[in-house]
Amino acid sequence: MTQQGVRWTTDQVLALAPDAASRKAGSKLGAAGPWSEAGSSGEGTVWGLCKGSGGKPYQTVVDIADVTGPAYKCSCPSRKFPCKHALGLLLLWAGGDDSVPPGQAPDWAEQWIEGRRRRTQDSRAAGGSHSGGSADPEAARRRAERRAERITAGATELEQRLTDLLRGGLAAAEQAGYGLWEETAARMVDAQAPGLAARVRELGALPSSGPGWPVRLLEECALVHLLDQGWLRRDRLPDGLAATVRSRVGLPGSADGPPLRDRWLVLAQYDTSDSRLTTRRIWLYGADSDRTVLLLSYGAAGRAPELALPVGLALEAEVSAYPGAGQLRAALGERFTPPAPAAVRPPVVTAARAAARYGEALRADPWLDSFPVTLGRVVPTPVEEGWQLADADGGTALPLTPAAAARPGLWRLVALSGGAPVTVFGECGHRGFHPLTAWPEGAGEAVPLC
């Protein structure tokens, strides 16, 4: 927000919530009742006091206009980011009534705003001058060689495990239980190959997972075998594919592509979590470059990552690509404008073309689970085994993934459509299509579905 009259929608605010519980709790605080001394400035700041369980209200302030934002500050003890009070304050502001009138920020809010923006300016002025130039390149090379040797040993051991499994028959995997797979995954962790470890754990979850599990297990074993062989023969691969193999095995990389400045539409944002880590995925579309890129950020288990961008808004920024054939991951660099409404939408394809694009992407990255596409003029339709998105102007359709069909976002999509065609952005893969964001026909606002 850079002008007083530009406000976010309720959906854009709720898309910032770190989890469903925060979304629900924040929604309850989106009314004027618990708030006092709320206000906003034309520079993009919202503040207010929220009544809590104690005698002293919580001081909450949100900075929306800073190019590195949005940023939040609240005196509550919550470890979630943003907390329910920040979400409630933004929802109150997004309502557009007189509950958050324009005014002068109180001292406690002004001090935080000034301090944060001063630190941001200092950081940008430094411009990465602390680059760690004292590191020993030779020592780094030796460490990389030792790690590569460990991964090679781990990949060789994993190949033997797969050979033993196939020689004994897939039924043996069901009898062995999960312990064998977890032991193998632990060996891959010891080999410093977290990517291989994650794939082994996925193998362990397949036996007895429902009808057709032997076929799924065989398919995933083939992909693990392909990755093993790719690593063991990486010196014979083209540079791009070799970089993809290193990434899939779990070697860290850096975004070394040239910075690309564009107006980036925030297509979708969602989190996945395990016992160790919360991973946030943010899809961006460049209006001028016609490129779609993926931002990844991480938080400790139970804590949302700090990077959050409102779905449906656009910002001018630079991104730099990570290496690897077919890789869409990028790093967000300097941001020149805060997120703001924009008449930008990604180009659309049919259901048939979406499946074809996923197939084309597999040639560059055989381990790719899904590929981002935007479907135009599709209608959510129930079928015997779930739901599908059917082309309104043709006879093709894409099934929704089982995970998407079981989530509340499906009913938001059905309600938005009402039987009429809609535009849907999501991820198309071998399990089906996973919708993430939808737009009604015409000039309606983006509706997050995750």
Side-chain angles (χ1 to χ4, degrees), residues 24-95:
K24 182 177 180 181
S27 297
K28 293 180 179 179
L29 295 176
W35 293 95
S36 61
E37 301 183 26
S40 62
S41 73
E43 288 74 36
T45 307
V46 186
W47 61 85
L49 302 177
C50 186
K51 183 179 180 181
S53 56
K56 187 176 181 181
Y58 296 122
Q59 297 176 338
T60 308
V61 57
V62 182
D63 185 3
I64 308 166
D66 195 299
V67 294
T68 62
Y72 322 89
K73 175 68 175 178
C74 185
S75 59
C76 75
S78 175
R79 297 176 63 190
K80 294 183 178 181
F81 189 85
C83 68
K84 64 181 181 180
H85 305 101
L87 290 170
L89 179 60
L90 284 176
L91 288 171
L92 187 66
W93 164 75

Side-chain angles (χ1 to χ4, degrees), residues 161-246:
R161 293 287 179 99
L162 294 176
T163 300
D164 293 343
L165 171 65
L166 296 179
R167 181 181 294 116
L170 295 182
E174 188 174 25
Q175 298 168 1
Y178 189 76
L180 176 63
W181 298 103
E182 185 58 38
E183 177 190 349
T184 305
R187 296 284 295 163
M188 296 306 103
V189 172
D190 293 341
Q192 295 184 286
L196 287 178
R199 287 192 169 269
V200 169
R201 291 192 177 98
E202 292 175 2
L203 291 179
L206 289 175
S208 304
S209 61
W213 72 261
V215 174
R216 295 194 296 274
L217 179 59
L218 186 60
E219 291 172 345
E220 293 302 321
C221 284
L223 286 173
V224 173
H225 169 68
L226 184 65
L227 185 55
D228 278 341
Q229 292 300 313
W231 172 262
L232 295 174
R233 293 169 170 79
R234 62 192 181 278
D235 55 335
R236 309 179 196 175
L237 299 178
D239 291 344
L241 185 56
T244 298
V245 168
R246 288 193 292 270

Side-chain angles (χ1 to χ4, degrees), residues 29-409:
L29 295 176
W35 293 95
S36 61
E37 301 183 26
S40 62
S41 73
E43 288 74 36
T45 307
V46 186
W47 61 85
L49 302 177
C50 186
K51 183 179 180 181
S53 56
K56 187 176 181 181
Y58 296 122
Q59 297 176 338
T60 308
V61 57
V62 182
D63 185 3
I64 308 166
D66 195 299
V67 294
T68 62
Y72 322 89
K73 175 68 175 178
C74 185
S75 59
C76 75
S78 175
R79 297 176 63 190
K80 294 183 178 181
F81 189 85
C83 68
K84 64 181 181 180
H85 305 101
L87 290 170
L89 179 60
L90 284 176
L91 288 171
L92 187 66
W93 164 75
D97 57 22
D98 296 332
S99 300
V100 188
Q104 178 65 40
D107 290 343
W108 56 268
E110 190 66 35
Q111 290 174 3
W112 176 77
I113 296 164
E114 291 181 355
R116 180 177 183 277
R117 293 184 177 174
R118 182 171 57 252
R119 289 190 296 272
T120 299
Q121 292 174 356
D122 292 345
S123 177
R124 294 176 66 182
S129 58
H130 307 291
S131 56
S134 60
D136 184 350
E138 180 60 24
R141 185 188 64 80
R142 290 195 298 269
R143 286 194 299 270
E145 288 180 350
R146 289 194 296 270
R147 180 168 186 178
E149 291 172 357
R150 294 190 187 100
I151 296 175
T152 297
T156 302
E157 179 181 342
L158 183 54
E159 282 291 278
Q160 186 60 54
R161 293 287 179 99
L162 294 176
T163 300
D164 293 343
L165 171 65
L166 296 179
R167 181 181 294 116
L170 295 182
E174 188 174 25
Q175 298 168 1
Y178 189 76
L180 176 63
W181 298 103
E182 185 58 38
E183 177 190 349
T184 305
R187 296 284 295 163
M188 296 306 103
V189 172
D190 293 341
Q192 295 184 286
L196 287 178
R199 287 192 169 269
V200 169
R201 291 192 177 98
E202 292 175 2
L203 291 179
L206 289 175
S208 304
S209 61
W213 72 261
V215 174
R216 295 194 296 274
L217 179 59
L218 186 60
E219 291 172 345
E220 293 302 321
C221 284
L223 286 173
V224 173
H225 169 68
L226 184 65
L227 185 55
D228 278 341
Q229 292 300 313
W231 172 262
L232 295 174
R233 293 169 170 79
R234 62 192 181 278
D235 55 335
R236 309 179 196 175
L237 299 178
D239 291 344
L241 185 56
T244 298
V245 168
R246 288 193 292 270
S247 173
R248 293 296 184 183
V249 163
L251 280 176
S254 58
D256 55 5
L260 174 62
R261 181 167 177 170
D262 205 338
R263 289 183 302 132
W264 297 99
L265 172 67
V266 184
L267 290 172
Q269 173 180 292
Y270 68 98
D271 295 349
T272 56
S273 301
D274 57 28
S275 60
R276 299 172 296 277
L277 198 66
T278 297
T279 302
R280 173 163 293 168
R281 291 170 170 82
I282 301 177
W283 286 106
L284 303 179
Y285 170 72
D288 300 323
S289 62
D290 192 30
R291 286 184 57 182
T292 301
V293 299
L294 174 65
L295 308 180
L296 294 180
S297 57
Y298 303 94
R303 299 197 65 177
E306 289 193 7
L307 180 61
L309 297 175
V311 175
L313 300 186
L315 69 157
E316 186 173 350
E318 290 180 342
V319 302
S320 297
Y322 280 78
Q327 301 300 293
L328 300 180
R329 186 185 174 189
L332 184 61
E334 185 174 357
R335 284 174 266 185
F336 303 98
T337 64
V344 178
R345 283 196 187 181
V348 300
V349 297
T350 64
R353 180 57 188 152
R357 291 188 66 179
Y358 173 57
E360 294 165 0
L362 285 174
R363 291 186 297 184
D365 181 0
W367 306 277
L368 189 66
D369 288 328
S370 60
F371 190 77
V373 293
T374 304
L375 301 177
R377 290 186 55 77
V378 291
V379 180
T381 307
V383 291
E384 184 176 352
E385 298 180 355
W387 286 78
Q388 65 181 13
L389 293 179
D391 282 326
D393 305 317
T396 58
L398 283 176
L400 296 189
T401 63
R407 291 181 178 174

